[in-house]
Every structure is written in structure tokens, then in C-alpha cells.
Amino acid sequence: SQELEQSPQSLIVQEGKNLTINCTSSKTLYGLYWYKQKYGEGLIFLMMLQKGGEEKSHEKITAKLDEKKQQSSLHITASQPSHAGIYLCGAPEGVKAAGNKLTFGGGTRVLVKP
Amino acid sequence: SAVISQKPSRDICQRGTSLTIQCQVDSQVTMMFWYRQQPGQSLTLIATANQGSEATYESGFVIDKFPISRPNLTFSTLTVSNMSPEDSSIYLCSVERELNLKTQYFGPGTRLLVL
């Protein structure tokens, strides 16, 4: 089965600083989702990557999928307190047209110090 | 995106009792999923629920413990039966929605504490 490893497990950054989270897969990725979770709440969809070398940005968050499709990174520029939370990467287990269950990484807990 | 609501948002239950969690979606979807997130852990899929058929359970999860209903294309329930403190978790439903790409959207979760 597929395994996703996230690093770091947690990080504390000063407001205004950049941060990067990595997600590494044991197998080739058919797609890669990034979600954000506030403590004790549901998951907020951030971005989905599918093609090798793909890069997407939304506001101050950029996600990339490497050419080999086994690693993704999430980069936040000029972090703000609103960026605090748990970031999770998730990957579908196959290329089925529908009903792909997601396997998740262990999560990265981000704290932004004002 | 998708608007997904869950009820209850949180509950505290006594061991041995059962709790039914509801998941409502703002439009019809084929696939609905139920996940569990134990304290400090990541998400684990419990089962996939299709309308009109039995739910498909993942290894380690059984229907007697987590019965699921899917009466129509916008609604599903998950019951946590005969609860023990180990069932204390956040339970999340998700749906698959295709806009440009097939994407899974999650509900706000149900925080369950079993005493």
C-alpha cells in the first residue's frame, strides 16, 4: 500500500517568514492533494496536483509536484497567523475514474509567531 | 467546491452507547467517504458509501461496529456502536466532486469523546 511521509512534523515560524513542507511517497503519485486543518475541525481543500513538474499557487501558498511524481512541497511566503494549522497531504491510490480513497501523510503542525 | 454539513459537531458519550453521525451535501454525489482521525493522528478511511449498495469497509473496520446508511445521493449516516474510549476521534465525511479535476471535499467533522 502507499505511504506518505511528511516533514517536518511541526514547525514554528516568525510571522513574515517563509516555510516549506514536504510530502514524500513510497510509490508514484497519481495525484496529490494538500489540505489545511484547523485544530479539531474539518479539512479545507487547498490544491490538487496531478502532472509531473506541475506547480500551482493560491494567494501566498504554492505547491509543486516533482517530475518523478514521488514528492510534493508546499511553500508559504510571508507567513501570517492565519496560516497556522495542520497541513495534510493526501494521495489517491489509483487512477480509477471515481471512488479513489485517499491515503494521508502524518500532517505538519504549523505555528506562526506574531 | 461542495457544501457539506455534519451533525452533531461534537458529543460526549458514555461507553457502551451508540452515536449516529449525519452528513448532508448540497448536491448529489455518487461517492461518499467516512474517515476517522484519532487524537494526534492523521486520517484513516473507514468505508466508502455508494447510494443503493452496501458500504465497502477498509481493513480493520466492520459493519457491526460502524454501520453506514446511504439512502440517497445527498445524505449518509455513520453509526459508532457500543462505544469505548478508543473510539474518541474526529469523524469526517467527504465527497468526490469533479470540477476541473476530481477532488475530495471534507465536512467540518464530528468530535466524539467517549468516557
Side-chain angles (χ1 to χ4, degrees):
Chain A
S1 62
Q2 187 170 51
E3 292 184 1
L4 295 178
E5 186 170 330
Q6 282 186 240
S7 62
Q9 290 185 329
S10 64
L11 71 153
I12 302 172
V13 296
Q14 196 70 39
E15 183 177 357
K17 297 294 184 182
N18 303 337
L19 67 97
T20 299
I21 300 167
N22 293 304
C23 177
T24 302
S25 172
S26 58
K27 298 182 179 180
T28 299
L29 293 164
Y30 295 102
L32 195 286
Y33 297 84
W34 282 101
Y35 295 91
K36 179 185 175 184
Q37 183 180 31
K38 291 281 192 180
Y39 176 72
E41 299 180 4
L43 275 64
I44 300 169
F45 172 75
L46 296 176
M47 276 171 273
M48 194 268 195
L49 305 166
Q50 203 167 33
K51 300 175 184 177
E54 187 175 9
E55 178 176 321
K56 289 185 178 179
S57 294
H58 177 68
E59 297 181 345
K60 295 185 177 181
I61 301 176
T62 300
K64 300 178 184 179
L65 182 62
D66 74 342
E67 290 287 345
K68 293 184 178 180
K69 296 176 66 174
Q70 282 197 267
Q71 186 172 52
S72 179
S73 61
L74 186 81
H75 184 78
I76 298 177
T77 304
S79 59
Q80 301 170 350
S82 61
H83 290 127
I86 301 170
Y87 290 82
L88 292 152
C89 63
E93 293 199 345
V95 292
K96 289 189 300 181
N100 281 294
K101 64 179 184 179
L102 297 182
T103 298
F104 284 88
T108 296
R109 190 178 297 268
V110 173
L111 179 63
V112 180
K113 293 173 60 177
Chain B
S1 63
V3 178
I4 307 170
S5 60
Q6 285 185 233
K7 290 182 181 180
S9 59
R10 58 180 62 204
D11 207 342
I12 300 174
C13 300
Q14 296 296 321
R15 67 172 67 208
T17 63
S18 298
L19 176 72
T20 296
I21 302 168
Q22 300 178 4
C23 180
Q24 180 77 51
V25 190
D26 63 336
S27 60
Q28 294 182 345
V29 292
T30 303
M31 311 295 294
M32 293 183 78
F33 305 87
W34 286 99
Y35 288 83
R36 179 176 75 179
Q37 186 178 32
Q38 294 178 298
Q41 304 293 316
S42 191
L43 279 75
T44 301
L45 181 67
I46 298 173
T48 303
N50 289 338
Q51 194 268 336
S53 64
E54 293 289 327
T56 302
Y57 289 83
E58 296 299 304
S59 175
F61 298 97
V62 295
I63 187 171
D64 290 345
K65 176 67 176 177
F66 298 100
I68 288 171
S69 76
R70 182 79 201 274
N72 58 54
L73 291 173
T74 63
F75 187 78
S76 178
T77 67
L78 170 75
T79 298
V80 187
S81 303
N82 188 24
M83 289 183 284
S84 67
E86 291 71 34
D87 294 319
S88 298
S89 298
I90 300 173
Y91 291 86
L92 300 115
C93 68
S94 74
V95 302
E96 194 171 73
R97 178 72 56 83
E98 184 163 4
L99 300 172
N100 296 320
L101 293 171
K102 205 174 269 82
T103 301
Q104 279 197 27
Y105 297 95
F106 284 79
T110 295
R111 293 187 70 185
L112 172 61
L113 177 63
V114 184
L115 301 177

